[in-house]
Amino acid sequence: MDFAMTAVRTALNGASYVAPRLAGGAAFRLFRKPRGRSRLRPDERPLTDRAEVGEIAVGGGKAVSYRWGTGARPVLLVHGWESRGSRFAPLVSELLDLGLSPVTFDAPGHGDATGETMTIVDLRDIITELDARHGPFEMVVAHSLGVTATFLALREGGVRQLPPVRTERLVAISGVPDFAYLVDRFCERLGLRARLNAELRSRVERELFPGEEGIWSRFSVPRTVPEAGPASVLVVHDEDDDMVDPACSRALADALGDRAELVVTSGLGHRRIIGDPQVTACVRDFVIRERAARVGRAAARPDPSPRPAAG
């Protein structure tokens, strides 16, 4: 733990003894706001400049959407916390070569979007809005918190009474298992006392999701898996991920059963994994295999058209 985090831990834990509500408020502000915006990298700019750009009003800001291709066979790419859509640039290029039409976005408080922060509900609403505009998506690729939000969109739908998203395939990379895990992991990394964890959860309920019922069960991937989900899921996680325990993706793959294929990488951590050539190749091969399997299933179906009688 670096000096800054040590200082924060000491200050918050010390304040929690004499002013727990004040300390809880400080922890909540740290939790809910990204530490900084991910900037567009020079190697991402050429592809981003070719995108059709749109806007989506959501939460306290406007998300920015990016779309490539003809619109045929659309694929949605969902980024996570403190990231941005352009991080999928290597995968976008691969999907275009396969004849698919990638769609991604920057959520509020991220990338080139407006606003200061996003919530899992904001992500859900962006996913369902993009599905209404450009879907149905043949595949969704999600990273980190984007995995949690995608399963929520598969089960609930979004604002404007938009229906739940439906997709044939899902790629879940470094997935966060549920929102409670984020709170516990945040407190664990800062070394915060149990009392601060409880105060933070209370503030999350009151201030981050006012009016939302049952957030600790609703915002949980294990709960959504039996109720919603595509037929084929590629689950990818790096064994050196220090943000989300790789055991979370193993549990997800187990919950999905025969629908899931688990790939474990090494040396990529939590963030570099989404642009890694090995992972990009895994997703490409997943698309090709699933396309071949679908064609094979279609060819095996009996011809429903009537046949002329003999003679």
Side-chain angles (χ1 to χ4, degrees):
M1 181 177 291
D2 60 29
F3 176 78
M5 292 183 70
T6 301
V8 169
R9 177 190 62 187
T10 302
L12 289 176
N13 281 330
S16 70
Y17 286 99
V18 294
R21 292 181 62 84
L22 183 65
F28 176 69
R29 287 190 292 275
L30 283 175
F31 174 78
R32 74 181 301 268
K33 189 174 181 180
R35 290 172 295 179
R37 285 179 183 261
S38 295
R39 298 187 180 277
L40 187 68
R41 296 170 181 164
D43 60 337
E44 297 168 350
R45 184 172 295 281
L47 191 65
T48 302
D49 287 345
R50 289 167 43 199
E52 175 187 316
V53 180
E55 287 187 346
I56 302 170
V58 61
K62 288 185 178 179
V64 179
S65 64
Y66 307 91
R67 183 187 181 202
W68 297 266
T70 64
R73 304 185 63 205
V75 172
L76 179 63
L77 312 175
V78 183
H79 72 75
W81 187 250
E82 295 178 350
S83 188
R84 59 182 295 149
S86 63
R87 295 295 182 261
F88 289 106
L91 182 56
V92 168
S93 296
E94 288 282 357
L95 295 175
L96 285 169
D97 288 343
L98 290 173
L100 282 76
S101 299
V103 177
T104 190
F105 60 89
D106 297 338
H110 294 70
D112 292 334
T114 65
E116 295 186 350
T117 190
M118 71 175 182
T119 70
I120 190 172
V121 172
D122 294 334
L123 278 178
R124 179 204 65 188
D125 292 344
I126 294 168
I127 292 167
T128 53
E129 181 64 36
L130 288 173
D131 182 65
R133 295 183 186 184
H134 306 300
F137 292 109
E138 183 172 310
M139 179 173 70
V140 178
V141 180
H143 175 244
S144 191
L145 183 61
V147 175
T148 326
T150 297
F151 273 98
L152 188 64
L154 288 169
R155 184 169 64 88
E156 289 190 357
V159 294
R160 300 197 298 110
Q161 297 184 327
L162 291 175
V165 172
R166 293 290 177 261
T167 186
E168 299 175 16
R169 297 188 289 276
L170 171 65
V171 179
I173 304 174
S174 309
V176 174
D178 53 39
F179 198 77
Y181 180 90
L182 286 180
V183 175
D184 293 341
R185 186 67 174 139
F186 172 82
C187 292
E188 178 187 337
R189 286 173 66 83
L190 280 178
L192 302 183
R193 298 174 60 223
R195 185 171 185 176
L196 273 177
N197 185 307
E199 178 64 24
L200 179 56
R201 283 178 177 247
S202 179
R203 285 183 178 269
V204 164
E205 293 172 358
R206 298 194 314 267
E207 301 180 36
L208 204 57
F209 301 111
E212 295 281 350
E213 298 292 333
I215 64 170
W216 305 111
S217 58
R218 280 175 54 213
F219 302 165
S220 172
V221 172
R223 181 178 184 274
T224 63
V225 163
E227 301 177 20
S232 300
V233 183
L234 177 64
V235 182
V236 186
H237 212 117
D238 192 81
E239 64 182 6
D240 299 312
D241 190 331
D242 64 348
M243 301 286 291
V244 180
D245 192 330
C248 296
S249 284
R250 295 190 182 97
L252 172 60
D254 288 343
L256 289 164
D258 292 341
R259 290 186 282 170
E261 172 188 350
L262 176 64
V263 173
V264 179
T265 61
S266 178
L268 300 176
H270 187 71
R271 300 192 184 280
R272 288 194 297 118
I273 191 170
I274 60 174
D276 180 74
Q278 176 188 351
V279 175
T280 299
C282 280
V283 177
R284 179 198 63 213
D285 294 344
F286 178 63
V287 172
I288 293 171
R289 288 197 311 272
E290 286 301 310
R291 181 192 297 179
R294 184 175 58 180
V295 171
R297 288 192 295 269
R301 294 191 192 105
D303 185 356
S305 58
R307 299 187 179 185

